[in-house]
Amino acid sequence: MPLESPRVGVSRPWQSRLTAALLLAGSLAVLLVAALLTADPRGVGTHQHLGLPPCGFLEVTGLPCPTCGYTTATTLAVHGHIAEAFITQPGGALFTLATAMTVLISVWALVTGMSLKPLGELIFRPATMWVIGGIVAGAWLYKIAVVVIH
């Protein structure tokens, strides 16, 4: 009897659960680290509590880089200061919400064996990437405006 190849688009439960477990571990790690940090009141620099260097772009130009404030916003959001997180760095606050949603979706997929492939295909299609890029760019412009005004 010849071996049948798996049907295209059909996920194997163990593969789905492994993917879900990896996404869950990564997402929980991000949220746990943020929970252990104290947000820097400057709105940037919280990552330095992890032993990382200051933002080189900010030091050289005096302007924030595209991700300046993401760690601070994530830390604020995890500590329940959602509005302050959005004011600090809207992109970082949205990143945190997406990370929390990833935890929930990953738990569901881990328990049920649901394939995450359709969701991945939706997220990584060009139109979605353009929207995400637009959000990051808009949040960066907002952060630059806040630094310049302040």
Side-chain angles (χ1 to χ4, degrees):
M1 175 184 269
L3 294 174
E4 292 183 25
S5 63
R7 293 182 306 191
V8 175
V10 175
S11 177
R12 291 188 167 31
W14 72 267
Q15 292 169 324
S16 296
R17 285 187 167 94
L18 177 61
T19 301
L22 293 172
L23 282 172
L24 179 61
S27 299
L28 283 176
V30 167
L31 298 176
L32 177 62
V33 168
L36 297 173
L37 293 173
T38 300
D40 193 302
R42 298 175 298 157
V44 296
T46 301
H47 68 282
Q48 291 177 258
H49 298 285
L50 298 169
L52 298 170
C55 175
F57 189 89
L58 180 61
E59 285 189 331
V60 171
T61 67
L63 297 173
C65 78
T67 61
C68 269
Y70 271 59
T71 306
T72 305
T74 299
T75 299
L76 288 166
V78 167
H79 287 271
H81 307 287
I82 306 296
E84 194 175 346
F86 273 97
I87 291 167
T88 298
Q89 175 39 283
L94 290 172
F95 166 80
T96 307
L97 293 176
T99 303
M101 288 175 28
T102 301
V103 167
L104 297 175
I105 293 167
S106 297
V107 167
W108 181 257
L110 189 59
V111 170
T112 66
M114 174 186 79
S115 174
L116 294 172
K117 186 176 179 182
L119 184 58
E121 289 172 348
L122 175 66
I123 292 170
F124 292 106
R125 67 184 207 192
T128 309
M129 293 283 90
W130 278 105
V131 169
I132 292 170
I135 290 169
V136 170
W140 184 26
L141 291 174
Y142 166 82
K143 190 69 176 179
I144 288 172
V146 168
V147 168
V148 170
I149 292 170
H150 197 255

